[in-house]
Amino acid sequence: MVDFGYGSVKTNNFDLDTAKTELASYLAANDATFNLCIACGACAATCTASKFTNFSFRNLTNQIRRGEEESSKKEAAKCMLCGKCTLVCPRNVNTRNIILLIRETVQTIHR
Amino acid sequence: MDKSVAVIGGGVAGIETAAELGKLGYKVMLFERDSELGGNVRNWDRLFPSRRPAKEVVENALASLNGGISIYASTSISSIKKENGAFTIHSSDSKQFQAQAVVLTTGFELFPAEKKEEYGYGIFENIITSRELEKMFSDYGKPRMTNGKPPHRVAFIHCVGSRDEKVNRPYCSKVCCITAVKQAIEVKEAIPTAEIFCFYMDLRMFGHGYEQLYKEAQVKGVNFVRGRLSETSEAAEGRVIIKVEDTLASKPMRLTTDMVVLMVGMTPATGTDKILQSLGLKTNEDGFAPVKDVHLASTQMGVEGVFIAGACSGPNNITDSINEARSAALQVHGYLNGE
Amino acid sequence: MYPEQGPVWDWIRDNAEQILPKVGANYKGDGPGAMRKIPQEDIDELHRIFEVSGGLDWFNKIEDFSAQKAKEMGLDIGTGKDSEYFKEVYNTNNQEKHSKQ
Amino acid sequence: MKIEGKRNIWKAYQKEIADDDYYYVRSCIRQNFFPGSETTFLRILREVLKKNVYDDQHHTTCTGIAYHCEVVPFETIMTVVGRKFALMKESGFRNFVPSCVTSFGLYTEILDTWEHHPKVEEKIHENLKLATGRNFNVPNNLAHTSDIIFKFREEIAQQAKYKLINKATGKPLKVVDHIGCHYAKMFPAKGVGGAEYPYVLAGMVESWGGEVIDYPERRHCCGFGFRQYMVNANRGYSLSASKKKFESMEPFKPDFIISNCPGCGFFFDRWQYALAEMEGKTYGEDGYGIPSLTYEEVAGLVLGFDPWEMGMQLHQVTVDPLLDKMGIAYNPDDKFKGINKEDLGRPESPKNLRFYK
C-alpha cells in the first residue's frame, strides 16, 4: 500500500449497531438500580477519586451503555470505594456495588 | 334563566365548560367544527400517567352534558363581534348566534411532522407520529411496521415541533415527554424483546405520577439518551438510520432502527387567530390565544365577557384543561351576575 | 504535493498542449474559455481591489505574523515551497487531529 | 421510501430560473479539472437549446477558495464579486450563471447580506468605483449552471440519443446524486428542491431514464472543505469524509455518482483512487471505482456527445464500463489521443484501482 503522508480517520461516533453491550446488560441484570441513573452528576461531584483523576461514575456507566467496555476496567479501578456517591444518589443507584460488579465481570467478559 | 353562553370548541375543555355552565342553568351553545365532540383526546388510546383508556375521559365529560346545552357539530366559527355588551358569533357557513358571554376552547392541533423535512416523515417508511402509534395500539394493541411485523428497535424522538425556532415553535409542548415515557412502556410491554430508546433534550416530568412513570420505564429497560435528532435516512434494507449526539458523552451517535416515533408537539388550532382578530386581540408570542393575566386571570381574556380554557392558550394536559374549564365557567357565572 | 491526483493527472500535465484543446479548453490562450490567460488589465484591477478593500493588508498581516511565529518556532520562514515554516504548517501542524490516529 | 413525500417537498422549493440570455461565469476548479464539462455546458446551451450565452474573457476568480481558507476578507471578495456584476452590466446581460457551487453560494450570501445591510452594498460600490471606475447592478436572476440544465431537462430528454438505462438488462441505471453543500445548505430556498432532498440533479436523472438512489450519508459533505484539503496535514479528514460516503453508498451498487459541485465531483473521483492505493479498497464492480460524473457529462452522454471531447478520459475512475453499460457508441482507441488524433501514450495504471479493461 502507498503512503500519501496522511490516512483515513476512524469515526468518532458511537455506533449502536455494532456496540458491545454485554457488560451493560450484565450490570442491568445483576443490579436493578443500574438503569435508574438520571445523569445528575452528584456522584461525580462528591467523589474522592474525581478530585485527582478524571474518574466519573456517571460517565463510566454511560460509556458502558454505549459499548465502550474496554476502558471500563481501568476506569473502575480508580474508585476508592468510600461510598459517598451511594449516599448522595437521588435515585438510590447502588453505585458501590456496580463498581464491584464491573471490576469482577470485566475479567470474565474480556478474558 | 335566558342568558346564553357560546363555547367555541368541543374538546375536553369545551365539553367540561359547557357541562359546568349547563349545571349553573345557562343556555349553552357548544360549537365544534368536527362532526363529533371530543377533540384530540378522541385520537388517543390511553392516557398518561395512569394509562386509563382515553375514551373514559371523553365519555365522562359527555355524560355530564345536560338538556340546556345545544351542540352545533360540524360548525366552524369564523368571527365574534361584541356590540353593546353582547356577542354575535358568525359561523363559516354564514349563520349567526347571539350570546352574552363567550368561552374560547378551540384547543390545539398536532405539529405537522413533515415540516421537519430532515426527519423524513412521509418520506421514509416506519417513521410515525405519537398519534399514529396511539392508533396502532387502538387497532392492533401493538405497534407494527408497514410490512405487518413488530419492530425490534424503536426510537422515540422528543420535541418534534417544540423548542425549535427553525419551525417557529420555540415553546415546550409540555405533554410529549411524559407521552413518550408512557408509549415507551407500552411498546416494551407489547413487545418485551424490543429495544427502546428515548432521545430527549430535557425530561420535563412536572405532573403528579410522571417522575414515577419515568422511573418505571427505566426499570423496564427503556434507554434514555440526551440529544436531539439531527436527521433520519433510509438504510439499504429499508430500516431507518438516525443521527443524534449523546450530549452526556459529547459524542455523536448513530443507530439503525425499525421504527421512529416522532413526539409531535402542540400547535395553535387553525382559525383561532382569525377569531382573535375579530375580537381585536393578537396571538401571544407562541401563536396561541393570550390570557388576560398569566397568574391572576388565566381563564379570562383581554375583552370583557370573553373567557378561555384548555390548550388554545398554550400546551396543556387534560387535568389542567378540565380545571381551567371549571374555573372559566365560574368566571362566566360571576361576569353574568355583575360580579 | 498532490499524490492523490493519480497517474491521469501526470498524463494530463505531460500532454497539456494536446489534450486540453481537445476538450475545448483555451489553454493559456487569449480570449474567453477555460484555462485561458487572464488579461493583465484584469489582474491589475484585481490588485487594486485588494488594495482598497483590505485584502492586501490582510495578506501582509498573515505574512508578518507567520514570520513572527516561524521565529518563535525556530523555523526558517524562507519563501515558496522550500520554506521550513510552510513545510511544518502544510505537512505536520495539527495532523494528529485530522489524519493520523 | 415514499416518493410522494419527496414530491411534496420539491413542490415547495421551486426557484425562478431565467430562460435565456445568460452571463456565464467559469469556475477555477472546474475549468482545470473538468474543462470539458464547461465546454459541454456551452455546447448544450448554444447548439442544442439555442440559447444566448455570453462567455466573458475578463471575469476572474471570485476568490472563494481563498475566502473559505480565510486568507481573503469578506470585503475583498464582495468587491471582486461587484466587479463581476459590473462586467455583466457592461455586456448588457442581467442573468448571472456561475459554473461553481461555492461561487453560487457566495453570490447568494453576498446578495442576502446586501439586502439586509444596504450600507455594506454601498461600501462595495464605493470600493469598486475607486479601484476600477466600474459600476454594478445586482443580477435580475442568479442561477447555478445545474439549475439551467435542470430547467431544460425535458428538452434534453426529447433530443436524447441514449437513456440512463442498462442496455443489457433494460433496467434504469442506479445513480447517487451529490449536491455541493453551498448549493442549498446555507439558503435552502435558493436550491431546486431545497436542502434536505434536493431535486436539481435527481430531476435530471429521472427525466433521462435513471433511478435515483437515496443512501444514508447522502447529505454528508464530501469533505473537500477547502482548507481541509489544501493543507496536507488535514487531508486525511477530507479523505475520510468521502470514504464515509462511499461506504454508505456501496451496498446500493450505484452505476455512477452525479454531482453539481466542482470539488465534490473531482474528489469522489480522486479519493477512490487514493483509497484503493492506500487501503486496497475499491467501491465499484470488478475492481473498478464508481464513476463520478458532472451533470454536463451526463447530459452530454444522453445527447450522444463524444465522451472524449467532453473530457471523460481525464477521470481517474475509468468511465468505459459505464459507457458500455449504456450501449454508447464510442471509439476506445481515441481515448488517449490528442487534438490532432496524435497518440499521447497511456497513463500509468494504478496498482489497486482497475483502470484498463
Side-chain angles (χ1 to χ4, degrees):
Chain A
M1 302 292 146
V2 191
D3 182 5
F4 286 168
Y6 53 87
S8 62
V9 191
K10 265 200 258 160
T11 175
N12 177 44
N13 287 19
F14 285 131
D15 186 342
L16 288 200
D17 295 349
T18 54
K20 288 181 278 178
T21 49
E22 214 182 332
L23 180 56
S25 310
Y26 179 84
L27 294 173
N30 286 278
D31 192 320
T33 68
F34 177 70
N35 281 342
L36 301 184
C37 174
I38 52 172
C40 69
C43 52
T46 198
C47 177
T48 313
S50 78
K51 302 289 180 294
F52 310 105
T53 70
N54 58 1
F55 178 69
S56 157
F57 179 83
R58 178 196 64 73
N59 191 38
L60 169 62
T61 50
N62 195 48
Q63 295 283 333
I64 290 172
R65 280 188 195 93
R66 303 290 169 259
E68 304 280 302
E69 295 181 352
E70 307 288 338
S71 55
S72 57
K73 190 187 164 193
K74 213 174 120 205
E75 277 301 304
K78 291 176 184 167
C79 169
M80 299 181 189
L81 295 173
C82 72
K84 188 71 200 298
C85 51
T86 313
L87 210 58
V88 297
C89 179
R91 272 282 216 240
N92 281 324
V93 175
N94 198 348
T95 51
R96 217 164 160 272
N97 184 47
I98 288 167
I99 289 284
L100 290 170
L101 282 173
I102 295 168
R103 288 183 183 179
E104 271 169 37
T105 52
V106 166
Q107 283 160 330
T108 53
I109 290 174
H110 299 290
R111 268 171 306 199
Chain B
M1 207 183 308
D2 56 356
K3 282 177 182 163
S4 62
V5 185
V7 179
I8 322 288
V12 284
I15 299 170
E16 191 67 30
T17 309
E20 291 297 317
L21 287 167
K23 279 186 224 160
L24 290 166
Y26 293 100
K27 220 177 103 200
V28 181
M29 294 170 282
L30 176 57
F31 298 100
E32 168 56 44
R33 64 180 174 187
D34 268 2
S35 55
E36 262 183 83
L37 295 179
N40 282 287
V41 180
R42 269 197 305 131
N43 300 319
W44 243 247
D45 184 49
R46 280 168 286 171
L47 302 177
F48 63 78
S50 61
R51 294 162 61 197
R52 69 150 16 113
K55 64 171 190 261
E56 275 183 25
V57 168
V58 181
E59 279 164 6
N60 181 67
L62 289 174
S64 58
L65 290 176
N66 65 22
I69 296 157
S70 319
I71 295 165
Y72 297 88
S74 306
T75 305
S76 184
I77 299 308
S78 52
S79 67
I80 301 170
K81 291 270 177 315
K82 187 180 181 184
E83 268 171 343
N84 306 321
F87 296 91
T88 309
I89 293 106
H90 299 261
S91 69
S92 45
D93 53 355
S94 304
K95 289 196 183 107
Q96 291 187 16
F97 306 87
Q98 307 293 324
Q100 276 69 52
V102 173
V103 187
L104 201 64
T105 53
T106 52
F108 70 96
E109 284 165 24
L110 290 170
F111 174 74
E114 61 274 9
K115 282 209 186 309
K116 285 300 287 177
E117 293 170 16
E118 64 273 35
Y119 288 5
Y121 177 76
I123 293 175
F124 303 129
E125 302 286 351
N126 297 311
I127 299 180
I128 62 170
T129 64
S130 42
R131 175 185 159 166
E132 286 161 346
L133 181 60
E134 291 290 332
K135 187 159 166 42
M136 285 182 183
F137 277 116
S138 300
D139 293 352
Y140 324 114
K142 64 168 94 169
R144 60 186 211 193
M145 300 191 287
T146 41
N147 65 7
K149 290 184 182 154
H152 293 298
R153 202 183 228 185
V154 181
F156 287 88
I157 311 298
H158 293 223
C159 301
V160 177
S162 301
R163 304 179 73 192
D164 186 354
E165 294 184 12
K166 277 279 151 57
V167 289
N168 198 23
R169 265 69 172 189
Y171 53 84
C172 167
S173 290
K174 233 158 102 172
V175 298
C176 332
C177 279
I178 182 62
T179 302
V181 165
K182 178 201 77 117
Q183 292 186 338
I185 292 174
E186 287 167 345
V187 173
K188 192 77 188 167
E189 285 175 355
I191 312 167
T193 53
E195 230 186 324
I196 318 281
F197 291 89
C198 284
F199 295 99
Y200 66 94
M201 297 198 288
D202 293 298
L203 282 172
R204 298 190 165 176
M205 298 290 142
F206 60 93
H208 174 76
Y210 296 8
E211 186 70 19
Q212 287 88 328
L213 203 65
Y214 166 35
K215 190 168 170 182
E216 184 185 332
Q218 288 181 309
V219 169
K220 290 188 163 140
V222 175
N223 299 286
F224 289 87
V225 181
R226 185 167 168 272
R228 186 184 182 91
L229 177 69
S230 68
E231 63 180 40
T232 63
S233 49
E234 202 173 54
E237 66 278 24
R239 298 178 75 202
V240 183
I241 294 176
I242 61 179
K243 286 184 181 176
V244 292
E245 189 200 10
D246 177 352
T247 59
L248 295 175
S250 300
K251 231 183 194 193
M253 178 192 249
R254 69 187 285 291
L255 66 159
T256 311
T257 63
D258 298 316
M259 181 176 273
V260 173
V261 185
L262 304 175
M263 306 310 300
V264 281
M266 292 189 183
T267 281
T270 44
T272 303
D273 54 342
K274 292 259 160 54
I275 297 176
L276 292 174
Q277 224 172 37
S278 67
L279 286 164
L281 294 169
K282 276 194 194 121
T283 57
N284 67 21
E285 65 275 19
D286 294 336
F288 287 94
V291 299
K292 192 176 172 193
D293 183 314
V294 70
H295 299 114
L296 305 175
S298 66
T299 55
Q300 287 163 254
M301 298 196 74
V303 174
E304 234 189 319
V306 183
F307 301 84
I308 184 166
C312 62
S313 66
N316 227 352
N317 62 9
I318 293 171
T319 308
D320 289 350
S321 284
I322 288 177
N323 285 340
E324 283 171 14
R326 289 172 185 163
S327 159
L330 272 181
Q331 298 284 332
V332 170
H333 184 59
Y335 168 74
L336 293 177
N337 289 284
E339 282 168 20
Chain C
M1 283 175 82
Y2 306 101
E4 63 282 348
Q5 302 299 359
V8 157
W9 189 246
D10 297 334
W11 179 83
I12 298 167
R13 281 158 59 123
D14 292 345
N15 299 290
E17 307 280 354
Q18 291 81 30
I19 192 66
L20 294 173
K22 181 174 172 181
V23 302
N26 178 17
Y27 185 47
K28 291 184 182 170
D30 296 322
M35 309 181 85
R36 70 197 183 281
K37 200 169 93 193
I38 302 288
Q40 190 56 45
E41 75 246 42
D42 297 325
I43 292 176
D44 293 344
E45 277 192 28
L46 276 202
H47 197 271
R48 286 200 297 277
I49 287 175
F50 270 67
E51 277 174 347
V52 305
S53 64
L56 218 54
D57 289 344
W58 187 267
F59 278 1
N60 291 335
K61 202 170 267 177
I62 292 170
E63 295 284 339
D64 289 350
F65 281 97
S66 297
Q68 215 170 299
K69 186 73 190 171
K71 207 171 168 189
E72 198 182 300
M73 293 166 81
L75 298 170
D76 173 25
I77 185 76
T79 50
K81 278 194 288 187
D82 298 325
S83 152
E84 274 184 47
Y85 175 74
F86 169 76
K87 277 185 192 159
E88 165 67 23
V89 170
Y90 186 72
N91 291 316
T92 317
N93 188 38
N94 263 340
Q95 191 180 42
E96 70 286 356
K97 284 190 202 151
H98 298 286
S99 282
K100 294 257 166 164
Q101 271 191 343
Chain D
M1 204 186 22
K2 305 173 230 175
I3 191 71
E4 270 319 301
K6 281 194 183 174
R7 293 206 188 284
N8 286 335
I9 288 182
W10 294 338
K11 241 181 270 163
Y13 290 97
Q14 301 209 358
K15 67 183 259 190
E16 201 189 320
I17 304 166
D19 61 4
D20 203 352
D21 301 317
Y22 308 113
Y23 183 83
Y24 182 55
V25 178
R26 289 178 185 276
S27 148
C28 309
I29 296 187
R30 297 191 93 222
Q31 60 180 305
N32 278 284
F33 295 164
F34 316 105
S37 288
E38 294 203 336
T39 308
T40 305
F41 177 77
L42 290 176
R43 209 179 136 194
I44 292 173
L45 256 67
R46 286 171 177 157
E47 293 172 21
V48 179
L49 302 168
K50 315 287 181 209
K51 299 292 174 188
N52 182 22
V53 198
Y54 186 61
D55 183 12
D56 188 347
Q57 70 159 323
H58 294 289
H59 88 78
T60 64
T61 170
C62 73
T63 71
I65 296 176
Y67 170 67
H68 285 295
C69 290
E70 292 178 67
V71 295
V72 160
F74 195 41
E75 191 175 324
T76 298
I77 191 168
M78 284 194 289
T79 314
V80 173
V81 167
R83 178 177 181 271
K84 284 164 178 277
F85 290 161
L87 292 173
M88 175 179 72
K89 183 185 179 181
E90 290 159 24
S91 64
F93 284 77
R94 292 291 175 271
N95 303 321
F96 197 84
V97 181
S99 167
C100 176
V101 159
T102 285
S103 286
F104 172 75
L106 276 161
Y107 300 131
T108 311
E109 189 178 359
I110 288 169
L111 291 174
D112 193 73
T113 303
W114 292 349
E115 197 186 318
H116 291 98
H117 307 276
K119 283 229 158 71
V120 176
E121 185 182 343
E122 251 171 61
K123 180 78 182 17
I124 301 307
H125 280 279
E126 283 166 26
N127 280 355
L128 188 69
K129 187 87 192 160
L130 191 65
T132 69
R134 295 182 196 270
N135 288 306
F136 69 85
N137 294 125
V138 298
N140 286 355
N141 186 263
L142 170 68
H144 184 247
T145 42
S146 62
D147 294 333
I148 309 290
I149 299 291
F150 170 84
K151 187 179 174 79
F152 299 113
R153 66 197 186 285
E154 291 303 335
E155 285 82 342
I156 290 170
Q158 277 158 21
Q159 301 192 41
K161 296 221 167 44
Y162 300 101
K163 288 194 142 190
L164 300 179
I165 284 175
N166 184 323
K167 209 185 169 194
T169 64
K171 285 188 177 155
L173 294 181
K174 290 196 248 174
V175 187
V176 299
D177 63 327
H178 178 85
I179 309 295
C181 293
H182 293 173
Y183 174 71
K185 280 181 187 163
M186 297 186 294
F187 296 90
K190 303 290 182 191
V192 174
E196 298 294 340
Y197 308 94
Y199 189 52
V200 60
L201 299 179
M204 295 180 203
V205 173
E206 271 186 0
S207 294
W208 302 337
E211 182 192 347
V212 183
I213 300 294
D214 198 346
Y215 64 108
E217 297 296 350
R218 174 179 52 78
R219 301 171 179 115
H220 201 275
C221 170
C222 77
F224 169 50
F226 310 99
R227 62 180 177 178
Q228 276 86 271
Y229 175 74
M230 296 304 166
V231 176
N232 187 63
N234 300 347
R235 215 165 274 169
Y237 179 89
S238 178
L239 170 80
S240 307
S242 285
K243 182 180 171 184
K244 191 180 170 85
K245 290 182 72 80
F246 297 140
E247 283 177 352
S248 175
M249 68 176 77
E250 189 187 15
F252 296 84
K253 300 190 189 330
D255 291 300
F256 67 90
I257 303 165
I258 182 171
S259 31
N260 69 344
C261 182
C264 314
F266 184 69
F267 283 97
F268 286 145
D269 184 72
R270 295 310 204 262
W271 287 141
Q272 287 192 75
Y273 158 75
L275 286 165
E277 302 313 295
M278 281 178 185
E279 301 179 359
K281 171 75 187 159
T282 52
Y283 295 94
E285 292 168 288
D286 306 323
Y288 292 111
I290 307 166
S292 170
L293 272 50
T294 67
Y295 53 95
E296 291 110 324
E297 287 170 338
V298 179
L301 288 181
V302 164
L303 289 165
F305 290 10
D306 177 40
W308 314 140
E309 282 176 24
M310 292 196 290
M312 296 184 80
Q313 67 278 49
L314 309 188
H315 293 234
Q316 186 64 69
V317 173
T318 190
V319 297
D320 305 34
L322 174 66
L323 304 180
D324 296 339
K325 230 182 253 177
M326 287 175 69
I328 286 176
Y330 68 102
N331 188 348
D333 299 333
D334 285 350
K335 185 169 181 181
F336 299 114
K337 284 185 178 160
I339 177 98
N340 300 313
K341 298 251 176 191
E342 67 276 36
D343 198 342
L344 302 177
R346 284 148 63 102
E348 193 188 314
S349 176
K351 284 188 185 60
N352 299 327
L353 181 69
R354 190 164 166 200
F355 188 67
Y356 294 110
K357 279 187 202 171

